[in-house]
Amino acid sequence: MAALVYPVRGPRHQETFPELKPQEIDRLRRFGALRKFSDGEKLYEAGKVAPGMFVVLKGLVSVTQRDGLGHVAPVVEEGVGHFLAEVGQLSSRAALVDATAEGDVETLLIPTDGLRSILVAEADLGERIMRALILRRMALLEGAVGAILIGPPASADVIRLEGFLARNGYPQHLLDPATDPEAREVIGRYADVAGGLPLVVCPDGSVLGNPSERALARQIGMTAASRANFVYDVAVVGAGPAGLSTAVYGSSEGLSVAVLDARAYGGQAGASARIENYFGFPTGITGQALTARAFIQAQKFGADVMIPVAVKTLDCSRANGAFVVELEDGDRIQARTVVVASGARYRHPLIADIARFEGRGVWYWASQIEARLCAGEEVVLVGGGNSAGQGAVFLSAHAARVRMMVRGPGLAESMSQYLIDRIAATSNIELMTETEIVALDGPAGAGLEKVRWRDRRAGRESEAPIRNVFLFVGADPATEWLKGCGVALDKAGFVMTGTPRNDGGPAPSALESSIPGVFAVGDVRSGSVKRVGGAIGEGAQVVAAIHNFLAHSPGPHL
């Protein structure tokens, strides 16, 4: 295992490991309590929940990275004035490294709530601490600590787990048993017991066989628990741009906020290779980077972000004055208001056998993981919106050729002009208008090998040996969980908002559904602008409506 590399000198190193002055440490004392450790004692361990941030008052602490296979490598030594934490400590998640006392050590332990308070109450000092926490997580991601995946790189389940961890900002490393002797040894010891490939070796040494995302998240300490017997001001269902925006603005204004998502933060925007028309980012920003910042920001202000948790139903009866969000695992989240930000699910075209190739050559997003699989090959990308354009440009840097297929006569009706111009200037992107896929082919139980398409204008069909197809053909609203609670949907299943009520009650806000106290923002809302900027704006706007509702609504009675 390669050692984690931090900058050894210069401003980046100083930002990653700032040294606090005595007067700055004094300002932090009211947020924590003294803790002493003897030589060799662990302050915290990889794979276990860290109690918060430690400020070193006396002695030296050694920070090392350790994977589940027992490999240990040094990271850094922290002395007097330094603090130990990274962004996981904002939400009581498991640590990714070990911290061990070298001799007698005295620290100031600041728990998660205290750390959040510092970031808000001590603006200048909080900014330095937050920057350090983010830089440390970035280094951990680059250093490949965390979970070890063992299996063939092209395996559908390897790609599934890689994508899940990557989109949630969790470090991971892939070992291919075809080329790595240690991987073969681990398979020999654990494959039958664990339940099959791929194996996941967790930081605590436990081994899982082809786990579900939920089981993996639980084992590595990625999922934050909800507060027991607590009624939130707001439950936000969906952690895309609209849901995260609601969480940031709501929690920063003092509301207690729970955010629930079944897979990862960022939604469809999180898979965008580069967003160049978002306000304030003239050089562009990836969807992952943009939404990761919002994810951290929401936790900074105290939002409880729970991923992955799948919502089953919404109980709008308000028997005790609160809505109840029922989860598939049986848990219940109570809240005075609910924001529907569940977005939309990728649409599946009516192509025979398409489900057989999903995860085996048919993809609904384009990330570095998928790009690795099609390096130097020809690919097909279907779609004419901005997401499709961003995906085509991204893939063109990896694939030998990108056949971009659209059913219409061109891109002008659905894509921003800057992307149209870039596609036209990219030599290995071929725009194929009025063209559609008619068949996919490949051996049973194996991946995609051949694609057939029709030129509708010429009435001619063609085929080519293509192993990867990327589909960006729109999405359907994720509103099944709302059935039975009375929230009005339009014909396509999107949540209707702002419509007058028949009961003579007060006029709803523009973002309020037919059920008072239930709001909808972002792609899931009927009539919304399907853009990242629009979703973020609605997330901010809905907070004012929530405040107004709470001011005129009696609190729950437990």
Side-chain angles (χ1 to χ4, degrees):
M1 179 180 65
L4 187 63
V5 178
Y6 282 116
V8 294
R9 57 181 175 271
R12 180 64 66 169
H13 178 80
Q14 294 172 1
E15 289 177 346
T16 307
F17 298 104
E19 183 176 342
L20 304 179
K21 298 176 182 178
Q23 56 268 36
E24 292 175 325
I25 294 176
D26 288 340
R27 287 159 54 188
L28 300 181
R29 290 183 185 274
R30 64 189 177 97
F31 297 99
L34 292 178
R35 284 285 305 274
K36 295 182 178 181
F37 299 88
S38 56
D39 182 38
E41 191 175 355
K42 299 286 188 185
L43 282 72
Y44 51 80
E45 297 181 60
K48 298 181 180 180
V49 175
M53 182 177 82
F54 291 89
V55 181
V56 182
L57 305 178
K58 175 185 175 183
L60 189 68
V61 178
S62 173
V63 179
T64 56
Q65 60 173 342
R66 168 176 53 88
D67 64 23
L69 297 178
H71 302 128
V72 178
V75 175
V76 71
E77 290 187 335
E78 301 269 49
V80 175
H82 291 101
F83 56 87
L84 294 86
E86 55 93 29
V87 293
Q89 277 65 74
L90 288 174
S91 53
S92 298
R93 284 174 166 81
L96 296 171
V97 293
D98 295 330
T100 308
E102 299 286 341
D104 292 335
V105 171
E106 184 176 316
T107 69
L108 176 67
L109 171 56
I110 301 172
T112 293
D113 289 344
L115 176 55
R116 289 171 166 175
S117 296
I118 288 170
L119 298 177
V120 175
E122 298 283 347
D124 294 339
L125 186 53
E127 180 183 353
R128 290 173 60 201
I129 293 173
M130 176 60 85
R131 183 180 296 112
L133 301 184
I134 294 172
L135 290 172
R136 292 175 187 185
R137 172 54 69 102
M138 290 172 59
L140 291 168
L141 288 169
E142 295 170 0
V145 298
I148 298 176
L149 305 180
I150 299 177
S155 160
D157 285 312
V158 166
I159 295 166
R160 171 180 63 85
L161 294 171
E162 272 192 297
F164 170 72
L165 293 171
R167 292 192 66 181
N168 281 289
Y170 192 90
Q172 27 107 12
H173 182 56
L174 175 63
L175 298 181
D176 183 357
T179 58
D180 192 296
E182 187 174 28
R184 291 195 294 272
E185 180 185 346
V186 175
I187 289 173
R189 279 186 288 157
Y190 293 105
D192 292 340
V193 176
L197 296 180
L199 297 181
V200 182
V201 184
C202 303
D204 64 359
S206 59
V207 180
L208 305 178
N210 195 20
S212 67
E213 287 91 339
R214 190 178 307 169
L216 175 57
R218 185 167 54 248
Q219 186 63 41
I220 62 179
M222 195 182 81
T223 305
S226 62
R227 306 182 208 177
N229 301 316
F230 184 80
V231 178
Y232 290 90
D233 292 321
V234 192
V236 183
V237 180
L244 290 175
S245 175
T246 302
V248 168
Y249 287 101
S251 57
S252 68
E253 294 183 13
L255 298 177
S256 57
V257 181
V259 184
L260 317 170
D261 197 283
R263 180 163 174 78
Y265 64 79
Q268 293 188 54
S272 295
R274 182 160 296 275
I275 303 170
E276 295 188 60
N277 61 347
Y278 184 67
F279 181 85
F281 290 89
T283 59
I285 185 171
T286 67
Q288 176 75 8
L290 179 66
T291 54
R293 294 180 184 189
F295 173 66
I296 295 170
Q297 196 173 17
Q299 294 174 86
K300 166 187 173 179
F301 289 119
D304 291 339
V305 186
M306 292 167 248
I307 301 173
V309 294
V311 173
K312 182 180 179 181
T313 59
L314 174 62
D315 182 351
C316 295
S317 63
R318 303 183 71 195
N320 66 345
F323 296 98
V324 178
V325 181
E326 299 182 359
L327 309 182
E328 287 189 352
D329 61 6
D331 284 350
R332 295 155 57 93
I333 303 294
Q334 297 186 84
R336 298 178 65 190
T337 63
V338 173
V339 174
V340 182
S342 44
R345 294 191 178 95
Y346 298 102
R347 187 170 296 152
H348 295 210
L350 297 177
I351 302 172
D353 284 344
I354 188 170
R356 181 160 67 90
F357 296 109
E358 290 175 347
R360 292 181 169 88
V362 171
W363 315 102
Y364 295 92
W365 55 84
S367 71
Q368 291 290 345
I369 296 171
E370 292 75 34
R372 178 190 72 208
L373 301 175
C374 61
E377 298 184 359
E378 181 175 324
V379 304
V380 167
L381 185 144
V382 180
N386 275 9
S387 294
Q390 292 161 358
V393 172
F394 169 72
L395 290 170
S396 69
H398 302 272
R401 182 185 188 186
V402 179
R403 293 181 181 267
M404 187 174 187
M405 300 180 182
V406 295
R407 291 173 58 89
L411 300 174
E413 292 185 3
S414 55
M415 187 179 293
S416 297
Q417 187 62 45
Y418 82 92
L419 279 171
I420 296 175
D421 295 341
R422 184 161 298 165
I423 289 169
T426 304
S427 60
N428 65 335
I429 298 179
E430 178 186 357
L431 178 61
M432 304 170 68
T433 59
E434 298 188 54
T435 302
E436 61 185 356
I437 293 177
V438 294
L440 303 172
D441 192 24
L448 178 66
E449 291 188 354
K450 188 183 299 183
V451 178
R452 173 173 285 273
W453 62 87
R454 178 187 297 117
D455 182 334
R456 296 192 299 155
R457 183 173 43 211
R460 181 178 64 251
E461 291 191 1
S462 305
E463 68 178 28
I466 293 174
R467 300 195 303 166
N468 291 282
V469 171
F470 296 84
L471 300 175
F472 294 84
V473 290
D476 297 314
T479 52
E480 299 89 348
W481 59 281
L482 292 172
K483 291 180 180 178
C485 72
V487 172
L489 309 177
D490 66 14
K491 292 181 180 179
F494 293 90
V495 178
M496 299 174 64
T497 59
T499 56
R501 298 194 177 97
N502 297 326
D503 58 7
S509 77
L511 300 177
E512 193 169 12
S513 75
S514 58
I515 299 296
V518 177
F519 304 84
V521 293
D523 288 0
V524 76
R525 189 179 70 83
S526 179
S528 67
V529 178
K530 305 301 189 276
R531 287 287 188 271
V532 172
I536 293 172
E538 290 188 7
Q541 180 185 348
V542 76
V543 174
I546 291 170
H547 277 300
N548 183 63
F549 177 85
L550 293 177
H552 298 88
S553 175
H557 43 277
L558 300 177

